[in-house]
Amino acid sequence: MTQVRPMRADARRNYERLLKVAAEAFAEHGEGASLDDIAKRAGVGSGTLYRHFPTRQALLEAAYLDRVEGFARRADELAKELPPGEALAEWLYELCVGTIQVRGLKTLLGSAMVDGSDAVLTVCGTHVRGAAARLVAAARAEGTLRPDVEPIELLRLAHGVAGAAELADGGGESLRRYLSLLTEGLRA
Amino acid sequence: MTQVRPMRADARRNYERLLKVAAEAFAEHGEGASLDDIAKRAGVGSGTLYRHFPTRQALLEAAYLDRVEGFARRADELAKELPPGEALAEWLYELCVGTIQVRGLKTLLGSAMVDGSDAVLTVCGTHVRGAAARLVAAARAEGTLRPDVEPIELLRLAHGVAGAAELADGGGESLRRYLSLLTEGLRA
DNA sequence: ACCTGAACACCGTTCAAGT
DNA sequence: ACCTGAACACCGTTCAAGT
């Protein structure tokens, strides 16, 4: 393990300002938000932004890390409050709401669900996959979930359903309906 | 109805070259393909591109119109060959394959499925919604499809599932599985 | 009527100069 | 060690000048 030296005071200040501004900007303008604009709003040269976050993806991940951790914690909360099947359903619902409401989070969560060799060990991916795995295991043991469905598949399908609901009403009532269509199936 | 005067010969030539080049460019680089590049490759000034297609969306729609019409025709073919439920399933599958394989088509089909007041009467939307409506009506009459599912909902869900499959393996084997999970449901 | 391409505004990214 | 901001390349869009 490499030692992480503490940042210089000004660097740390810039880093945190960037994170805060970036979270706002991505939420407002989506994942395509202007990086130059983020640097300016944070009162920082554009080079500084690139020093801290070499790619847009890195900034996106850092900006929403706490939110993603929130989802992971929420999974365990729900697991205590509800029977496994309902906990899983509710968690997926809340995940979808976040996906739809916070522009930029969709891309981030999506990239945590791709089967690309490198993206698998992304911090964000670890959190969300872990949480899903715990909920799925419980629901399986309870016997309410098809035993052949993998956690990651569930995450991807929910991600897709969030997209479908977005097409319908930009995240209004249809989300709950579409999620229930997924769990119930389409057969007569 | 407004009379459509025939285009001047050079205009028509440019129009068609633009369509051809645009279809290639969108397929290769996705919906974000450089418009300037498309104009150059078509041997045309950038202003000419904007004259014919005032928005990127307009160009996208024109470039893939024949493909979308192809999907509509395919729906009727399948309706003759297969029992209604299977025809619907197969059509949705093929639609998803197109969505995944031809970059740019995803955005176009997606915009044909949004519930935005203006997008409803888009040419592309009319085609694809009409085809879905016919297949759904038959499957409903046959009794294999939940009677409360609207055609447009099915299109949106399939679109979402295509996205999910894209996350999995970029459009390989998982598409069939995810579509069947949707139709079968997730319950044990 | 239609086309061209220069002009403008904007953005991402790099890097030499500064502290 | 870190920051700044000018510089470069690229892109979308408009519009005056041309045929």
Side-chain angles (χ1 to χ4, degrees), chain B residues 8 14 45 47-48 51:
Chain B
R8 225 169 61 179
N14 285 336
T48 301
R51 158 171 279 270

Side-chain angles (χ1 to χ4, degrees), chain B residues 131-156:
Chain B
R134 294 194 293 279
L135 291 171
V136 163
R140 241 188 236 171
E142 184 196 31
T144 45
L145 180 69
R146 273 178 67 145
D148 65 325
V149 184
E150 298 296 324
I152 184 68
E153 296 183 315
L154 222 49
L155 285 172
R156 289 186 195 127

Side-chain angles (χ1 to χ4, degrees), chain B residues 28-51:
Chain B
E28 192 177 348
H29 302 109
E31 60 145 333
S34 161
L35 297 185
D36 196 62
D37 197 58
I38 290 174
K40 275 207 186 74
R41 277 208 257 170
V44 150
S46 46
T48 301
L49 186 153
Y50 283 93
R51 158 171 279 270

Side-chain angles (χ1 to χ4, degrees), chain A residues 47-109:
Chain A
T48 301
L49 187 152
Y50 282 93
R51 158 171 279 270
H52 287 301
F53 311 100
T55 67
R56 160 176 252 110
Q57 188 67 24
L59 179 57
L60 195 59
E61 179 153 8
Y64 287 135
L65 181 59
D66 57 344
R67 232 178 251 265
V68 171
E69 286 173 344
F71 282 124
R73 281 194 303 274
R74 181 68 178 143
D76 299 328
E77 265 181 53
L78 288 168
K80 279 178 203 147
E81 291 172 14
L82 297 171
E86 291 175 37
L88 176 59
E90 177 60 19
W91 187 69
L92 288 178
Y93 172 75
E94 293 181 11
L95 196 67
C96 287
V97 169
T99 296
I100 294 171
Q101 282 181 349
V102 184
R103 289 160 51 79
L105 200 49
K106 182 177 185 178
T107 321
L108 177 58
L109 289 173

Side-chain angles (χ1 to χ4, degrees), chain B residues 89-175:
Chain B
E90 177 60 20
W91 187 70
L92 289 178
Y93 172 74
E94 293 182 10
L95 197 67
C96 287
V97 169
T99 296
I100 294 171
Q101 282 182 350
V102 183
R103 289 162 49 81
L105 200 48
K106 182 177 185 179
T107 321
L108 177 59
L109 289 173
S111 73
M113 297 170 190
V114 295
D115 205 21
S117 38
D118 51 341
V120 178
L121 358 105
T122 219
V123 186
C124 167
T126 314
H127 278 293
V128 80
R129 284 171 188 231
R134 294 194 293 279
L135 291 171
V136 163
R140 241 188 236 171
E142 184 196 31
T144 45
L145 180 69
R146 273 178 67 145
D148 65 325
V149 184
E150 298 296 324
I152 184 68
E153 296 183 315
L154 222 49
L155 285 172
R156 289 186 195 127
L157 284 168
H159 192 79
V161 166
E166 225 175 337
L167 292 174
D169 52 15
E173 302 197 354
S174 53
L175 176 58

